Amino acid sequence: MNLKKEMSTSEIGEFLKNKNDFVKIDYLIRFLHEKIPADVRRFVFLKLGEVYERSSMFVDSGRAYEKAIELSNEKDKKNVSIKAAQAMIRAGDFNRADELIRNVMSKASDFERKDVVNGLKTFYLYTAEMHEKTRKLGEALKIYERVLTTMNI
């Protein structure tokens, strides 16, 4: 059985439930070649981003989230943009992450901006700690330098 364009998002989720990550990626990418509604396409890109992230394919995860941003309504764009930025940070593409965050900040209130900046700082530091634990000290150093130079701590 394959994914069909008549399927709802819950049916797609149920279909993919017991598959391994690389099989999910294959099904989802092939499904994107179909002519499917925008809301289902958005769901597929979000699901693809999650699967890529779980498989430590952070650049691909960020790209999938970016495609989902284009299909999201204004309410969801902020959350999806932050997910995309986090994936790009984990991939080491800080410039792209900054670009995504600038887009979020341009549409956010002062209170939301502070919240986004604090969440971003926390995520940068968490990512650096993960690199330290896995002995990727050069990567951790790059992140700490980034935080010190751009986040005004």
Side-chain angles (χ1 to χ4, degrees), residues 83-101:
K83 280 184 177 183
Q86 289 175 340
M88 290 304 185
I89 289 167
R90 292 182 77 187
D93 190 350
F94 304 128
N95 294 329
R96 185 67 190 128
D98 287 347
E99 192 177 314
L100 289 160
I101 292 301

Side-chain angles (χ1 to χ4, degrees), residues 3-99:
L3 294 172
K4 296 181 176 96
K5 58 184 172 183
E6 302 84 29
M7 295 175 100
S8 69
T9 55
S10 58
E11 290 172 328
I12 294 168
E14 189 63 34
F15 175 80
L16 296 172
K17 194 166 116 181
N18 295 322
K19 310 256 184 299
N20 79 33
D21 286 345
F22 291 104
V23 172
K24 287 179 187 177
I25 290 169
D26 183 52
Y27 275 116
L28 291 169
I29 288 174
R30 281 195 277 143
F31 191 52
L32 286 170
H33 294 296
E34 303 270 332
K35 188 169 178 77
I36 52 179
D39 63 323
V40 175
R41 184 171 289 280
R42 177 185 173 277
F43 174 80
V44 170
F45 279 123
L46 288 172
K47 190 59 89 174
L48 200 53
E50 291 171 13
V51 175
Y52 278 138
E53 200 166 353
R54 234 186 351 261
S55 300
S56 298
M57 300 168 74
F58 300 116
V59 173
D60 293 323
S61 175
R63 287 184 188 144
Y65 285 135
E66 286 183 62
K67 299 265 173 110
I69 293 168
E70 296 169 13
L71 299 168
S72 295
N73 58 31
E74 287 302 315
K75 182 181 171 187
D76 292 333
K77 279 187 180 187
K78 175 186 163 196
N79 293 331
V80 179
S81 294
I82 290 171
K83 280 184 177 183
Q86 289 175 340
M88 290 304 185
I89 289 167
R90 292 182 77 187
D93 190 350
F94 304 128
N95 294 329
R96 185 67 190 128
D98 287 347
E99 192 177 314

